[in-house]
């Protein structure tokens, strides 16, 4: 099932990249980005209005929290501008994979610049011990310091 979902996700992202390429081909990057942001904000308006109705005005409702949101918005805006410009001026076979690598670059930036620790599941996946084939036993005998084989009982045989 996950293969089907991954394939569907890849097809949707490919379609999205092709549509972005077609939209910036004869239009300005700023115009396309403005309309994309406008329609995205219109879709999020109900969520924003519900949040405001419940008294949620940002990160802790402080000036520092709003400053962090403002800084993040400028970083995201510059990322989107550069991404759309790259789609306009580069072939899609180059711009698509570069855009797809953004989450990995965000992870590397969070680890290197912010000193974050990777999630436990990622550490577990990266340090997973390799499986060894079953059924074939090989007796391994370590060498002593003088180069001669050490004696090891047969019960200490281990699979490859």
């Amino acid at each position: 099932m996950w293969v089907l979902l991954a394939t569907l996700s890849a097809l949707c992202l490919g379609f999205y990249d092709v549509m972005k390429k077609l939209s910036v081909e004869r239009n300005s990057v700023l115009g396309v980005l403005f309309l994309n942001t406008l329609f995205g904000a219109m879709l999020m308006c109900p969520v924003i209005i519900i949040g405001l109705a419940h008294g949620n005005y940002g990160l802790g409702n402080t000036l520092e929290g709003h400053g962090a949101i403002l800084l993040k918005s400028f970083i995201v805006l510059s990322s989107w501008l550069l991404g759309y410009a790259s789609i306009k001026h580069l072939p899609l076979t180059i711009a698509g994979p570069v855009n797809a690598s953004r989450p990995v670059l965000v992870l590397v930036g969070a680890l290197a610049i912010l000193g974050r620790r990777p999630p436990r599941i990622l550490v577990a996946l990266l340090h997973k011990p390799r499986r060894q084939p079953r059924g074939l036993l090989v007796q391994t005998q370590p060498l002593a310091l003088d180069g001669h084989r050490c004696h090891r009982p047969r019960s200490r045989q281990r699979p490859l």
Side-chain angles (χ1 to χ4, degrees), residues 83-97:
Y84 275 71
S86 71
I87 287 176
K88 181 172 187 164
H89 298 292
L90 291 173
L92 201 54
T93 55
I94 294 174

Side-chain angles (χ1 to χ4, degrees), residues 19-29 32-33 84-85 87-89:
M19 291 298 113
K20 278 197 296 187
K21 177 75 171 176
L22 291 175
S23 66
V24 295
E25 217 169 60
R26 294 186 181 161
N27 300 309
S28 72
V29 170
V32 172
L33 185 57
Y84 275 71
I87 287 176
K88 181 172 187 164
H89 298 292

Side-chain angles (χ1 to χ4, degrees), residues 37-55:
T37 307
L38 178 70
F39 288 119
M42 286 173 38
L43 288 173
M44 289 301 295
C45 269
V47 175
I48 294 170
I49 291 170
I50 290 171
L52 290 174
H54 287 96

Side-chain angles (χ1 to χ4, degrees), residues 118-142:
R120 289 182 183 174
I121 185 74
L122 182 63
V123 173
L125 288 174
L126 292 177
H127 291 95
K128 187 176 181 181
R130 296 182 183 170
R131 288 187 180 181
Q132 297 179 350
R134 296 179 184 178
L136 180 63
L137 292 176
V138 174
Q139 183 173 0
T140 58
Q141 294 180 344

Side-chain angles (χ1 to χ4, degrees), residues 33-138:
L33 185 57
F34 173 74
L35 290 175
N36 186 6
T37 307
L38 178 70
F39 288 119
M42 286 173 38
L43 288 173
M44 289 301 295
C45 269
V47 175
I48 294 170
I49 291 170
I50 290 171
L52 290 174
H54 287 96
N56 185 5
Y57 300 107
L59 290 174
N61 297 331
T62 63
L63 189 58
E64 182 182 329
H66 290 290
I69 292 173
L70 186 64
L71 176 64
K72 180 189 175 215
S73 65
F74 281 118
I75 293 170
V76 169
L77 176 64
S78 64
S79 172
W80 283 351
L81 279 173
L82 294 173
Y84 275 71
S86 71
I87 287 176
K88 181 172 187 164
H89 298 292
L90 291 173
L92 201 54
T93 55
I94 294 174
V98 170
N99 283 336
S101 68
R102 281 184 185 178
V104 175
L105 296 176
V106 168
L107 177 66
V108 169
L111 295 174
I113 297 171
L114 300 176
R116 303 294 171 125
R117 296 173 64 188
R120 289 182 183 174
I121 185 74
L122 182 63
V123 173
L125 288 174
L126 292 177
H127 291 95
K128 187 176 181 181
R130 296 182 183 170
R131 288 187 180 181
Q132 297 179 350
R134 296 179 184 178
L136 180 63
L137 292 176
V138 174

